[in-house]
Amino acid sequence: DAGVIQSPRHEVTEMGQEVTLRCKPISGHDYLFWYRQTMMRGLELLIYFNNNVPIDDSGMPEDRFSAKMPNASFSTLKIQPSEPRDSAVYFCASRWQGEYNEQFFGPGTRLTVL
Amino acid sequence: AQTVTQSQPEMSVQEAETVTLSCTYDTSESDYYLFWYKQPPSRQMILVIRQEAYKQQNATENRFSVNFQKAAKSFSLKISDSQLGDAAMYFCAYRSADSNSGYALNFGKGTSLLVTP
Protein backbone atom coordinates (compact mmCIF):
# COMPACT_ATOMS: atom_id res chain seq x y z
CA ASP A 1 0.00 0.00 0.00
CA ALA A 2 1.25 3.50 -0.81
CA GLY A 3 0.19 4.89 2.54
CA VAL A 4 -1.73 8.11 3.03
CA ILE A 5 -1.21 10.40 0.06
CA GLN A 6 -1.41 14.16 0.27
CA SER A 7 -1.15 16.76 -2.45
CA PRO A 8 0.36 19.14 -3.02
CA ARG A 9 3.43 18.74 -0.81
CA HIS A 10 4.06 22.46 -0.90
CA GLU A 11 1.71 25.31 -1.67
CA VAL A 12 2.52 28.98 -1.86
CA THR A 13 -0.32 31.38 -2.42
CA GLU A 14 -1.26 34.96 -1.90
CA MET A 15 -3.60 36.26 0.74
CA GLY A 16 -7.20 36.12 -0.38
CA GLN A 17 -6.77 33.17 -2.72
CA GLU A 18 -8.59 29.88 -2.36
CA VAL A 19 -6.49 26.90 -1.33
CA THR A 20 -7.47 23.25 -1.64
CA LEU A 21 -5.51 20.49 0.04
CA ARG A 22 -6.12 16.89 -0.93
CA CYS A 23 -5.85 13.56 0.82
CA LYS A 24 -6.19 9.94 -0.21
CA PRO A 25 -6.45 7.66 2.82
CA ILE A 26 -5.24 4.10 3.00
CA SER A 27 -7.71 1.81 1.30
CA GLY A 28 -10.24 0.33 3.70
CA HIS A 29 -9.66 2.80 6.50
CA ASP A 30 -12.85 4.04 8.17
CA TYR A 31 -11.54 7.18 9.83
CA LEU A 32 -9.89 10.21 8.30
CA PHE A 33 -8.36 13.09 10.26
CA TRP A 34 -7.07 16.54 9.34
CA TYR A 35 -4.45 18.08 11.65
CA ARG A 36 -2.65 21.41 11.48
CA GLN A 37 0.86 22.00 12.80
CA THR A 38 2.16 25.46 13.68
CA MET A 39 5.00 26.65 15.86
CA MET A 40 2.64 28.47 18.20
CA ARG A 41 -0.09 25.86 18.63
CA GLY A 42 1.69 22.62 17.81
CA LEU A 43 -0.33 19.80 16.27
CA GLU A 44 -4.08 20.26 16.58
CA LEU A 45 -7.04 18.33 15.24
CA LEU A 46 -9.18 20.25 12.78
CA ILE A 47 -11.82 17.70 11.83
CA TYR A 48 -12.37 13.98 11.49
CA PHE A 49 -14.62 11.78 9.39
CA ASN A 50 -16.01 8.33 10.05
CA ASN A 51 -17.23 6.44 6.99
CA ASN A 52 -17.11 9.68 4.98
CA VAL A 53 -19.31 11.56 7.45
CA PRO A 54 -17.88 14.56 9.33
CA ILE A 55 -18.17 13.78 13.02
CA ASP A 56 -16.33 16.52 14.87
CA ASP A 57 -15.33 19.80 13.24
CA SER A 58 -14.92 21.75 16.46
CA GLY A 59 -11.25 22.26 15.68
CA MET A 60 -11.90 24.10 12.43
CA PRO A 61 -10.69 27.61 13.20
CA GLU A 62 -13.35 29.60 11.36
CA ASP A 63 -15.82 29.59 8.51
CA ARG A 64 -13.07 30.14 5.99
CA PHE A 65 -12.15 26.48 6.50
CA SER A 66 -14.22 23.65 5.10
CA ALA A 67 -13.60 19.94 4.62
CA LYS A 68 -15.35 17.31 2.57
CA MET A 69 -15.09 13.60 2.01
CA PRO A 70 -17.17 12.74 -1.08
CA ASN A 71 -16.09 9.11 -1.04
CA ALA A 72 -13.99 6.67 0.95
CA SER A 73 -10.85 7.38 -1.04
CA PHE A 74 -10.72 11.16 -1.16
CA SER A 75 -10.95 14.18 1.12
CA THR A 76 -10.32 17.89 0.68
CA LEU A 77 -9.58 20.73 3.05
CA LYS A 78 -10.38 24.12 1.59
CA ILE A 79 -9.46 27.56 2.85
CA GLN A 80 -11.23 30.50 1.29
CA PRO A 81 -10.07 33.20 1.48
CA SER A 82 -6.63 32.33 2.76
CA GLU A 83 -4.75 34.53 5.23
CA PRO A 84 -1.07 34.63 6.26
CA ARG A 85 -1.93 33.13 9.66
CA ASP A 86 -3.11 29.99 7.88
CA SER A 87 0.49 29.22 7.00
CA ALA A 88 1.21 25.82 8.53
CA VAL A 89 1.77 22.17 7.77
CA TYR A 90 -1.48 20.30 7.26
CA PHE A 91 -1.51 16.57 7.90
CA CYS A 92 -4.05 14.01 6.87
CA ALA A 93 -4.21 10.68 8.73
CA SER A 94 -6.37 7.58 8.52
CA ARG A 95 -7.08 4.43 10.49
CA TRP A 96 -9.30 1.39 10.65
CA GLN A 97 -12.28 1.09 12.96
CA GLY A 98 -11.52 -0.34 16.36
CA GLU A 99 -9.93 0.82 19.55
CA TYR A 100 -6.54 -0.76 19.09
CA ASN A 101 -5.66 0.30 15.57
CA GLU A 102 -2.93 2.75 14.74
CA GLN A 103 -3.32 6.06 12.96
CA PHE A 104 -1.22 6.50 9.80
CA PHE A 105 -0.09 9.95 8.74
CA GLY A 106 0.48 11.39 5.29
CA PRO A 107 3.61 13.41 4.52
CA GLY A 108 1.85 16.72 5.11
CA THR A 109 1.29 19.81 2.97
CA ARG A 110 3.33 22.88 3.81
CA LEU A 111 1.14 25.91 3.10
CA THR A 112 2.59 29.39 2.86
CA VAL A 113 0.22 32.32 2.47
CA LEU A 114 1.98 35.54 1.50
CA ALA B 1 -10.57 17.77 27.59
CA GLN B 2 -7.26 16.02 27.87
CA THR B 3 -4.06 18.04 27.88
CA VAL B 4 -0.57 16.80 27.15
CA THR B 5 2.45 18.68 28.43
CA GLN B 6 6.04 18.33 27.32
CA SER B 7 8.09 20.58 29.55
CA GLN B 8 11.37 20.26 27.66
CA PRO B 9 11.35 22.28 24.43
CA GLU B 10 14.88 21.09 23.62
CA MET B 11 17.17 18.31 24.75
CA SER B 12 20.67 17.33 23.78
CA VAL B 13 22.46 13.98 24.05
CA GLN B 14 25.79 12.63 22.97
CA GLU B 15 25.93 9.73 20.61
CA ALA B 16 25.75 6.36 22.41
CA GLU B 17 24.40 7.98 25.58
CA THR B 18 20.92 7.72 27.07
CA VAL B 19 18.34 10.48 27.16
CA THR B 20 14.88 10.72 28.71
CA LEU B 21 12.11 12.90 27.36
CA SER B 22 9.31 13.88 29.74
CA CYS B 23 5.56 13.97 29.20
CA THR B 24 2.67 14.50 31.55
CA TYR B 25 -1.02 14.45 30.75
CA ASP B 26 -4.30 15.27 32.34
CA THR B 27 -7.37 13.09 31.98
CA SER B 28 -10.35 11.82 33.93
CA GLU B 29 -10.55 8.65 31.86
CA SER B 30 -9.29 5.31 33.08
CA ASP B 31 -8.80 3.69 29.69
CA TYR B 32 -6.65 5.34 27.07
CA TYR B 33 -3.52 5.04 24.95
CA LEU B 34 -0.28 7.00 24.98
CA PHE B 35 2.17 7.38 22.14
CA TRP B 36 5.51 8.83 21.25
CA TYR B 37 5.92 10.07 17.68
CA LYS B 38 9.13 11.10 15.98
CA GLN B 39 9.15 13.86 13.37
CA PRO B 40 12.44 14.19 11.48
CA PRO B 41 13.15 17.15 9.16
CA SER B 42 11.25 15.30 6.43
CA ARG B 43 8.07 16.13 8.43
CA GLN B 44 6.84 12.54 8.36
CA MET B 45 5.15 11.50 11.61
CA ILE B 46 6.64 8.17 12.70
CA LEU B 47 5.19 6.13 15.53
CA VAL B 48 7.96 5.21 17.95
CA ILE B 49 6.13 3.43 20.75
CA ARG B 50 2.67 3.02 22.25
CA GLN B 51 1.37 2.19 25.71
CA GLU B 52 -2.06 0.94 26.68
CA ALA B 53 -3.16 2.41 30.00
CA TYR B 54 -4.57 -0.90 31.21
CA LYS B 55 -1.16 -2.54 30.90
CA GLN B 56 1.13 -2.14 33.87
CA GLN B 57 4.18 -3.31 31.96
CA ASN B 58 6.16 -0.55 30.30
CA ALA B 59 6.39 -0.79 26.52
CA THR B 60 9.74 -1.38 24.85
CA GLU B 61 10.80 -1.17 21.20
CA ASN B 62 14.47 -1.93 20.72
CA ARG B 63 16.39 1.11 22.04
CA PHE B 64 13.19 2.93 22.99
CA SER B 65 11.34 2.34 26.24
CA VAL B 66 8.80 4.19 28.31
CA ASN B 67 8.25 4.79 31.99
CA PHE B 68 4.49 4.86 32.42
CA GLN B 69 3.26 6.07 35.79
CA LYS B 70 -0.53 6.01 35.61
CA ALA B 71 -1.21 7.49 39.02
CA ALA B 72 1.19 10.33 38.39
CA LYS B 73 -0.06 10.71 34.79
CA SER B 74 3.48 10.61 33.55
CA PHE B 75 4.79 9.00 30.37
CA SER B 76 8.50 9.47 29.67
CA LEU B 77 10.50 8.13 26.74
CA LYS B 78 13.99 6.74 27.22
CA ILE B 79 16.29 6.44 24.23
CA SER B 80 19.31 4.23 24.86
CA ASP B 81 22.50 4.16 22.81
CA SER B 82 21.46 7.35 21.01
CA GLN B 83 22.26 7.55 17.32
CA LEU B 84 22.62 10.52 15.00
CA GLY B 85 19.45 9.39 13.24
CA ASP B 86 17.48 9.88 16.45
CA ALA B 87 17.74 13.64 16.07
CA ALA B 88 14.19 14.90 15.54
CA MET B 89 11.14 16.45 17.17
CA TYR B 90 9.44 14.03 19.53
CA PHE B 91 5.76 14.35 20.31
CA CYS B 92 3.88 12.75 23.15
CA ALA B 93 0.24 12.01 22.31
CA TYR B 94 -2.88 10.85 24.11
CA ARG B 95 -5.82 8.96 22.65
CA SER B 96 -9.02 8.02 24.39
CA ALA B 97 -10.25 4.44 24.22
CA ASP B 98 -13.79 5.80 23.89
CA SER B 99 -15.09 5.45 20.34
CA ASN B 100 -17.02 8.71 20.74
CA SER B 101 -13.69 10.51 20.60
CA GLY B 102 -13.11 9.16 17.11
CA TYR B 103 -9.76 8.02 18.43
CA ALA B 104 -8.24 11.39 17.54
CA LEU B 105 -4.78 12.15 18.89
CA ASN B 106 -4.10 14.95 21.35
CA PHE B 107 -0.47 16.08 21.08
CA GLY B 108 2.02 17.82 23.31
CA LYS B 109 4.04 20.73 21.93
CA GLY B 110 7.07 18.55 21.27
CA THR B 111 10.69 18.22 22.33
CA SER B 112 13.49 18.88 19.87
CA LEU B 113 16.25 16.31 20.36
CA LEU B 114 19.78 17.10 19.23
CA VAL B 115 22.31 14.28 19.02
CA THR B 116 25.96 15.30 19.05
CA PRO B 117 28.84 13.13 17.83
Side-chain angles (χ1 to χ4, degrees), chain A residues 9 15-17 22 24 29 52 57 59-60 70 72 74 78 86 94 99:
Chain A
R9 293 294 309 276
M15 183 175 64
Q17 297 297 306
R22 297 172 175 80
K24 177 179 169 54
H29 280 189
N52 313 337
D57 65 355
M60 297 285 262
F74 184 64
K78 184 179 293 186
D86 302 331
S94 68
E99 177 183 324

Side-chain angles (χ1 to χ4, degrees), chain A residues 9-10 31 33 35 37 40-41 43 45 48 89 91 95 99-103 105-108 110, chain B residues 31 33 37 39 42-45 47 50 52 54 91 95 97 99-105 107 109:
Chain A
R9 293 294 309 276
H10 304 273
Y31 284 88
F33 306 83
Y35 293 89
Q37 183 178 25
M40 289 295 294
R41 299 175 67 90
L43 272 153
L45 176 71
Y48 78 87
V89 179
F91 286 99
R95 70 188 298 277
E99 177 183 324
Y100 191 76
N101 294 312
E102 178 188 340
Q103 201 167 123
F105 283 81
R110 178 176 291 280
Chain B
D31 198 12
Y33 295 78
Y37 281 86
Q39 187 180 41
S42 67
R43 287 203 310 259
Q44 185 67 49
M45 294 293 287
L47 179 62
R50 64 185 283 164
E52 292 85 356
Y54 62 85
F91 292 96
R95 172 165 72 72
S99 62
N100 290 326
S101 74
Y103 307 121
L105 293 166
F107 289 92
K109 290 290 180 66

Side-chain angles (χ1 to χ4, degrees), chain A residues 21-83:
Chain A
L21 311 182
R22 297 172 175 80
C23 175
K24 177 179 169 54
I26 293 173
S27 178
H29 280 189
D30 306 283
Y31 284 88
L32 184 139
F33 306 83
W34 283 100
Y35 293 89
R36 180 173 69 174
Q37 183 178 25
T38 60
M39 289 294 292
M40 289 295 294
R41 299 175 67 90
L43 272 153
E44 52 185 345
L45 176 71
L46 298 178
I47 185 171
Y48 78 87
F49 295 82
N50 183 18
N51 293 322
N52 313 337
V53 177
I55 303 299
D56 183 357
D57 65 355
S58 60
M60 297 285 262
E62 46 196 279
D63 292 345
R64 297 185 296 106
F65 286 69
S66 62
K68 294 182 179 180
M69 192 164 185
N71 57 61
S73 58
F74 184 64
S75 177
T76 60
L77 178 67
K78 184 179 293 186
I79 309 172
Q80 181 184 20
S82 58
E83 296 183 3

Side-chain angles (χ1 to χ4, degrees), chain B residues 2-82:
Chain B
Q2 297 84 17
T3 56
V4 179
T5 302
Q6 293 180 249
S7 58
Q8 306 153 316
E10 294 181 350
M11 291 284 284
S12 182
V13 63
Q14 257 189 326
E15 210 175 354
E17 297 297 307
T18 296
V19 65
T20 298
L21 308 184
S22 301
C23 173
T24 58
Y25 58 95
D26 186 24
T27 185
S28 58
E29 298 180 323
S30 59
D31 198 12
Y32 49 87
Y33 295 78
L34 296 164
F35 304 84
W36 279 97
Y37 281 86
K38 173 184 178 181
Q39 187 180 41
S42 67
R43 287 203 310 259
Q44 185 67 49
M45 294 293 287
I46 302 166
L47 179 62
V48 174
I49 199 166
R50 64 185 283 164
Q51 174 78 44
E52 292 85 356
Y54 62 85
K55 289 186 177 179
Q56 291 187 336
Q57 186 174 4
N58 289 323
T60 300
E61 289 287 343
N62 300 315
R63 297 183 296 106
F64 298 87
S65 61
V66 299
N67 183 3
F68 173 50
Q69 302 289 328
K70 191 172 184 179
K73 296 179 183 174
S74 170
F75 183 61
S76 60
L77 174 70
K78 186 171 81 171
I79 306 175
S80 304
D81 186 26
S82 297

